């Protein structure tokens, strides 16, 4: 005759409660189930939505050359008498006032800054330097170019931004205007002067010995000649 053994449920509960969780290695297989509920006193609270606080995250930092570009564009927009924001606008590279075929590192950076600043005013910008095809090389993938053979020749541009620069012993004079290419009419113009100390990364005092027109000139001391722009040969 088989005997039936009755064990109180309360005793079983006590026995299970006193049993320690099985300690296992993460990479070890075990036959016995592992209790995991003791890891958390309560279920961790999940966030129901993602939040983005621009004041905490911030925006891209700016230096003086970026602020200069923004201020020039702000006044161009203020002085504008006919250009609409939906008309195509192209920003050209600032040039030397005495040589319309020459620029420098400051002129190249100002061109990029003008593009960003005009876009901030929601103008219809056209980028001339975007080539007709992507170039995949071992160094990377490129689409910007200054080779006219790779650039489109039929851009629908009605207005262009042109700038000239001139250096003095004290700093840099910058002249910028928007021109209607259909009749060469100036629809906005701005002139400004930047002290050498305002652009320490781009402007520096001239050397004591400078070169002009293939000739060497010696001043009594450094800084008496026109300020030097980054990358210029003195």
């Amino acid at each position: 005759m088989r005997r039936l053994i009755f064990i109180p449920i309360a005793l079983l509960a006590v026995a299970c409660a006193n049993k320690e969780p099985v300690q296992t290695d993460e990479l070890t297989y075990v036959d016995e189930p592992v209790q995991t509920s003791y890891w958390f006193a309560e279920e961790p609270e999940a966030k129901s939505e993602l939040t983005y606080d621009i004041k905490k995250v911030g925006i891209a930092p700016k230096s003086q050359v970026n602020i200069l570009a923004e201020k020039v564009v702000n006044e161009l927009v203020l002085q504008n008498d006919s250009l609409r924001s939906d008309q195509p606008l192209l920003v050209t590279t600032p040039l030397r006032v005495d040589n319309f075929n020459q620029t420098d590192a400051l002129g190249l950076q100002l061109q990029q800054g003008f593009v960003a600043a005009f876009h901030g005013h929601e103008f219809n910008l056209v980028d001339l330097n975007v080539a007709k095809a992507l170039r995949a090389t071992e160094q990377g993938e490129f689409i910007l170019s200054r080779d006219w053979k790779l650039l489109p020749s039929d851009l629908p541009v009605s207005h262009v931004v042109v700038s000239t620069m001139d250096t003095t012993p004290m700093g840099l004079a910058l002249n910028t205007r928007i021109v209607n290419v259909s009749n060469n009419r100036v629809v906005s113009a701005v002139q400004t002067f930047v002290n050498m100390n305002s652009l320490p990364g781009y402007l520096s005092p001239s050397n004591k010995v400078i070169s002009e027109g293939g000739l060497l000139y010696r001043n009594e001391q450094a800084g008496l000649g026109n300020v030097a722009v980054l990358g210029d040969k003195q």
Side-chain angles (χ1 to χ4, degrees):
M1 179 182 296
R2 295 180 179 180
R3 295 182 179 181
L4 298 178
I5 301 175
F6 296 93
I7 301 177
I9 297 178
L11 293 178
L12 287 174
V14 172
C16 293
N18 293 334
K19 187 176 181 179
E20 293 292 334
V22 179
Q23 302 295 331
T24 61
D25 188 274
E26 291 182 358
L27 302 180
T28 303
Y29 175 78
V30 291
D31 295 330
E32 196 170 351
V34 180
Q35 180 183 352
T36 59
S37 61
Y38 65 89
W39 287 107
F40 302 103
E42 58 184 10
E43 192 70 17
E45 182 180 355
K47 294 184 178 180
S48 58
E49 62 181 18
L50 296 176
T51 59
Y52 180 84
D53 190 345
I54 192 172
K55 293 183 179 179
K56 292 182 179 180
V57 178
I59 58 178
K62 292 180 174 61
S63 67
Q64 293 299 322
V65 67
N66 308 123
I67 296 174
L68 171 62
E70 290 181 347
K71 289 187 175 182
V72 170
V73 170
N74 288 343
E75 189 168 351
L76 283 173
V77 174
L78 181 65
Q79 301 292 343
N80 172 37
D81 61 14
S82 64
L83 174 64
R84 302 191 311 270
S85 60
D86 62 332
Q87 293 178 290
L89 177 65
L90 187 146
V91 179
T92 64
T93 308
L95 305 171
R96 297 290 182 91
V97 71
D98 58 346
N99 188 343
F100 286 173
N101 293 312
Q102 185 179 3
T103 187
D104 49 40
L106 178 58
L108 294 173
Q109 178 54 46
L110 284 174
Q111 179 184 19
Q112 306 303 314
F114 290 159
V115 171
F118 272 111
H119 187 271
H121 285 280
E122 301 182 354
F123 276 82
N124 184 16
L125 289 163
V126 177
D127 196 335
L128 173 66
N129 297 118
V130 177
K132 292 180 287 187
L134 179 70
R135 306 185 308 281
T137 69
E138 294 181 355
Q139 288 74 33
E141 293 70 46
F142 310 103
I143 198 170
L144 295 179
S145 176
R146 295 188 186 277
D147 186 349
W148 64 271
K149 293 176 292 187
L150 303 177
L151 301 176
S153 58
D154 55 349
L155 293 176
V157 175
S158 61
H159 293 76
V160 295
V161 179
V162 297
S163 303
T164 58
M165 304 176 297
D166 190 24
T167 55
T168 73
M170 298 298 296
L172 175 84
L174 176 64
N175 310 281
T176 307
R177 52 190 177 273
I178 302 175
V179 181
N180 185 333
V181 294
S182 63
N183 55 14
N184 289 357
R185 180 178 179 273
V186 177
V187 302
S188 182
V190 173
Q191 57 180 344
T192 185
F193 185 86
V194 184
N195 191 279
M196 177 183 60
N197 297 329
S198 298
L199 292 175
Y202 288 91
L203 301 180
S204 61
S206 62
N207 294 333
K208 187 175 182 178
V209 178
I210 60 177
S211 174
E212 289 184 7
L215 300 176
L216 293 178
Y217 295 90
R218 180 184 297 273
N219 296 315
E220 294 182 2
Q221 60 185 19
L224 295 181
N226 292 347
V227 298
V229 181
L230 176 68
D232 282 355
K233 294 182 179 180
Q234 298 191 55

